Amino acid sequence: GNSVTQMEGPVTLSEEAFLTINCTYTATGYPSLFWYVQYPGEGLQLLLKATKADDKGSNKGFEATYRKETTSFHLEKGSVQVSDSAVYFCALIKNGWASYDKVIFGPGTSLSVIP
Amino acid sequence: EAGVTQFPSHSVIEKGQTVTLRCDPISGHDNLYWYRRVMGKEIKFLLHFVKESKQDESGMPNNRFLAERTGGTYSTLKVQPAELEDSGVYFCASSQDLRVNEQFFGPGTRLTVL
């Protein structure tokens, strides 16, 4: 079936450190891929997305590249800030072009950035 | 423009009681979804409305859960009777364009069943 796997947390980094959160997926066809973020006390927000192979999604200094050959969508940021502390969810929609489909989420990775 | 709103933000009930969660989607969004995250695990799909019709309810765990969307605006999710394993965070999302299907999520309702 369709699924998303991401690295276990929690992850603790010092401010200005480099961040990588690994995400791999299993899906038939050509899914669209997403990273969602949930800041403390807030709802889920779309951080970035990519809809086809080799696309790079970027937002707020975060980047992720859709790698079909490795079925991966790793999230990276060059210099994290305390305000980036949140839970990050990798997700996919297995059929992004046709009619509706549900979002399939990974388990989430909790990130804490310390000053 | 207001985002997706959910009420209440937190509910604590005892096993066997009934709880009703409400979701107000973004105005004009025909598609409304319910998801939940149980015990810190992955967020899982529950069901999808298109206007007032249930398009897909394959994720509903059992018949103790009842979702409605009368009039195609806000939606309610009732749990009756609640069990301990129903504890978790219930998210609502809405979307406008199925081709893109970017879903906008609400803040969630944290349900605790004691």
Side-chain angles (χ1 to χ4, degrees), chain A residues 36 38 42-44 46 49 87 89 93 96-103 105-108, chain B residues 33 35 37 40-43 45 48 55-56 58 91 98-103 105-107:
Chain A
Y36 283 87
Q38 185 178 21
E42 298 185 16
L44 283 170
L46 179 64
K49 65 181 180 183
V87 181
F89 296 91
I93 294 178
W97 294 105
S99 57
Y100 126 90
D101 212 332
K102 55 184 173 283
V103 182
F105 289 91
Chain B
Y33 311 81
Y35 294 81
R37 188 182 189 206
K41 296 184 178 177
E42 65 267 27
I43 301 167
F45 167 82
H48 168 217
Q55 180 77 11
D56 180 355
S58 61
F91 292 101
L98 283 177
R99 291 174 303 140
V100 175
N101 203 15
E102 179 173 337
Q103 298 182 19
F105 283 79

Side-chain angles (χ1 to χ4, degrees), chain B residues 10-14 83-84 86-88 110-114:
Chain B
H10 194 179
S11 179
V12 180
I13 61 173
E14 293 190 350
E83 298 290 343
L84 299 179
D86 301 331
S87 296
R110 180 173 295 277
L111 174 63
T112 302
V113 182
L114 302 176

Side-chain angles (χ1 to χ4, degrees), chain A:
Chain A
N2 302 293
S3 65
V4 176
T5 303
Q6 60 183 106
M7 61 188 291
E8 296 288 331
V11 174
T12 302
L13 295 175
S14 297
E15 205 165 23
E16 299 183 1
F18 184 86
L19 169 71
T20 300
I21 301 179
N22 290 334
C23 170
T24 57
Y25 67 89
T26 302
T28 56
Y30 300 92
S32 294
L33 303 176
F34 305 83
W35 277 99
Y36 283 87
V37 59
Q38 185 178 21
Y39 298 103
E42 298 185 16
L44 283 170
Q45 301 176 24
L46 179 64
L47 180 60
L48 53 84
K49 65 181 180 183
T51 57
K52 61 183 186 295
D54 299 326
D55 267 4
K56 176 185 285 188
S58 61
N59 186 25
K60 299 181 180 181
F62 291 89
E63 292 184 341
T65 301
Y66 188 145
R67 301 289 188 196
K68 191 166 177 63
E69 64 277 13
T70 55
T71 62
S72 65
F73 193 54
H74 305 322
L75 182 68
E76 296 182 336
K77 186 174 185 181
S79 176
V80 293
Q81 305 301 311
V82 173
S83 57
D84 294 325
S85 298
V87 181
Y88 293 81
F89 296 91
C90 187
L92 68 83
I93 294 178
K94 69 179 177 75
N95 191 347
W97 294 105
S99 57
Y100 126 90
D101 212 332
K102 55 184 173 283
V103 182
I104 297 172
F105 289 91
T109 301
S110 176
L111 170 67
S112 294
V113 180
I114 55 177

Side-chain angles (χ1 to χ4, degrees), chain B residues 3-41:
Chain B
V4 176
T5 58
Q6 294 187 243
F7 182 83
S9 58
H10 194 179
S11 179
V12 180
I13 61 173
E14 293 190 350
K15 176 183 172 181
Q17 290 186 322
T18 297
V19 63
T20 300
L21 314 181
R22 173 171 170 147
C23 168
D24 286 78
I26 293 173
S27 178
H29 282 193
D30 289 338
N31 299 285
L32 186 150
Y33 311 81
W34 284 98
Y35 294 81
R36 74 172 180 175
R37 188 182 189 206
V38 175
M39 294 291 289
K41 296 184 178 177

